[in-house]
């Protein structure tokens, strides 16, 4: 496992624990309202569309497209220095929500708005796996 010490690890709480457990199992979980059917991310105790408290965790497809991105050339700390340049992107999941993550396993200069991506997970510790994205069907194109 790569040394991820010094990186910004997430703070897990009651609302986010199912999400992080899913990531640890390499499954991207998001919430879906049982009343109106809308998906949402980041985790909340109520539906952001209809205010229902009937939200449940469902497995997302892990696929989406790049809505916007930036290429980081100067690391925020020494812990990230070996990764520059890296892409931070807004990913529109096929289920509707948008999440921020990295696009990896791809030349940052070739990332484009609208590019199809799929989730992959980086294991940072025994308890934390971070969802990141790579171009969809990358294995098939190599």
């Amino acid at each position: 496992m790569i040394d991820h010490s010094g990186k910004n690890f997430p703070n897990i709480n009651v609302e986010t624990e199912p999400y992080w457990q899913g990531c640890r199992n390499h499954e991207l979980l998001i919430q879906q309202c049982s009343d109106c059917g809308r998906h949402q991310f980041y985790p909340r105790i109520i539906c952001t569309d209809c205010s229902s408290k009937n939200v449940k965790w469902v497995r997302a497809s892990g696929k989406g497209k790049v809505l916007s991105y930036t290429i980081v050339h100067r690391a925020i700390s020494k812990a990230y220095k070996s990764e520059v340049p890296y892409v931070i992107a807004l990913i529109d999941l096929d289920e509707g929500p948008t999440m921020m993550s990295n696009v990896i396993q791809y030349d940052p200069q070739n990332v484009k708005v609208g590019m199809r991506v799929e989730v992959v997970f980086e294991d940072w510790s025994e308890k934390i796996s971070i969802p990141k994205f790579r171009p969809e069907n990358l294995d098939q194109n190599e």
Side-chain angles (χ1 to χ4, degrees), residues 39-138:
H39 293 90
Q40 65 185 21
F41 183 84
Y42 60 89
R44 299 170 183 98
I45 60 171
I46 64 168
C47 174
T48 58
D49 195 47
C50 72
S51 299
S52 170
K53 291 184 180 180
N54 295 322
V55 291
K56 62 184 176 182
W57 289 95
V58 296
R59 185 175 183 177
S61 67
K63 297 180 186 248
K65 63 182 176 181
V66 174
L67 174 66
S68 182
Y69 69 96
T70 189
I71 301 173
V72 177
H73 294 277
R74 185 177 298 175
I76 61 170
S77 74
K78 290 179 184 179
Y80 297 88
K81 189 173 183 178
S82 66
E83 298 178 23
V84 292
Y86 58 89
V87 175
I88 298 175
L90 292 177
I91 308 296
D92 269 347
L93 298 175
D94 287 350
E95 292 80 8
T98 300
M99 67 184 296
M100 184 181 292
S101 188
N102 298 104
V103 176
I104 62 171
Q105 301 177 9
Y106 200 63
D107 182 346
Q109 300 301 323
N110 292 332
V111 172
K112 302 288 182 227
V113 170
M115 183 172 88
R116 297 284 306 163
V117 291
E118 62 189 2
V119 74
V120 291
F121 294 87
E122 280 187 6
D123 296 328
W124 281 17
S125 73
E126 290 183 16
K127 294 183 179 181
I128 298 295
S129 295
I130 303 294
K132 297 193 176 187
F133 290 81
R134 68 178 187 176
E136 195 172 57
N137 302 316
L138 185 61

Side-chain angles (χ1 to χ4, degrees), residues 24-43:
R24 185 68 204 127
N25 294 329
H26 291 194
E27 296 178 329
L28 184 62
L29 300 181
I30 58 176
Q31 291 177 315
Q32 183 178 29
C33 179
S34 296
D35 291 336
C36 73
R38 184 172 177 174
H39 293 90
Q40 65 185 21
F41 183 84
Y42 60 89

